[in-house]
Amino acid sequence: MSAPPTDAELLELADAAAARAYAPYSGFDVGCVVLARDGRVIEGVNVENAAYPLGVCAERTAFARAVAEGYRPGDFTVAAITASPCGGCRQWLHEMGVERVVFRNGGRVVTMTPDELLPESFDSSNLA
Ligand code: THU
């Protein structure tokens, strides 16, 4: 069995995925890859729409694709994103229970946990 990809390698895969973004309105291509515990890498890109609010972020397409394939929250270790995750995607990252999030922000590469990205978050425990 081969070693899992490093965070740096995952970011490179996210960069490559971003080239397949559909972002004709913003011109801002985003790629996201998530690493599952079974070693699979699932890729997502942002997909925009002429009705602007209907566009979806790269993180959400990656996780929606993974869930459709059978993965569940807790099945993921890392999400690597070519941009700083927006507020809504921070909620998704929290829901999916990734261990860490690696992303580019300006010239930097930042690594944070979902809790650090979204402290005091709303989750299923708030529904009880
Ligand atoms: N975008 C993402 O894909 N992920 C984020 O977390 C930040 C924003 C996309 C949405 C839109 O297609 C474009 O970047 C500009 O906001």
Side-chain angles (χ1 to χ4, degrees):
M1 211 172 98
S2 58
T6 65
D7 289 1
E9 288 168 340
L10 289 169
L11 257 188
E12 282 177 17
L13 290 172
D15 288 335
R20 299 192 301 277
Y22 176 68
Y25 305 105
S26 72
F28 189 69
D29 295 343
V30 183
C32 170
V33 304
V34 295
L35 177 63
R37 293 187 193 283
D38 65 6
R40 261 286 303 285
V41 172
I42 300 109
E43 302 180 329
V45 298
N46 54 331
V47 181
E48 297 184 347
N49 192 284
Y52 294 173
L54 298 182
V56 287
C57 290
E59 296 90 321
R60 296 183 218 189
T61 65
F63 283 119
R65 182 178 183 178
V67 169
E69 291 186 21
Y71 293 96
R72 287 293 177 268
D75 288 345
F76 312 104
T77 53
V78 190
I81 316 161
T82 58
S84 178
C86 75
C89 286
R90 293 177 189 218
Q91 185 76 34
W92 271 64
L93 290 159
H94 195 277
E95 182 82 22
M96 292 296 142
V98 296
E99 292 176 3
R100 63 185 181 281
V101 185
V102 184
F103 57 95
R104 294 193 198 287
N105 198 357
R108 296 175 305 140
V109 174
V110 181
T111 303
M112 295 177 77
T113 65
D115 270 343
E116 288 168 338
L117 287 166
L118 192 67
E120 299 290 333
S121 64
F122 181 83
D123 61 27
S124 58
S125 71
N126 299 108
L127 296 171

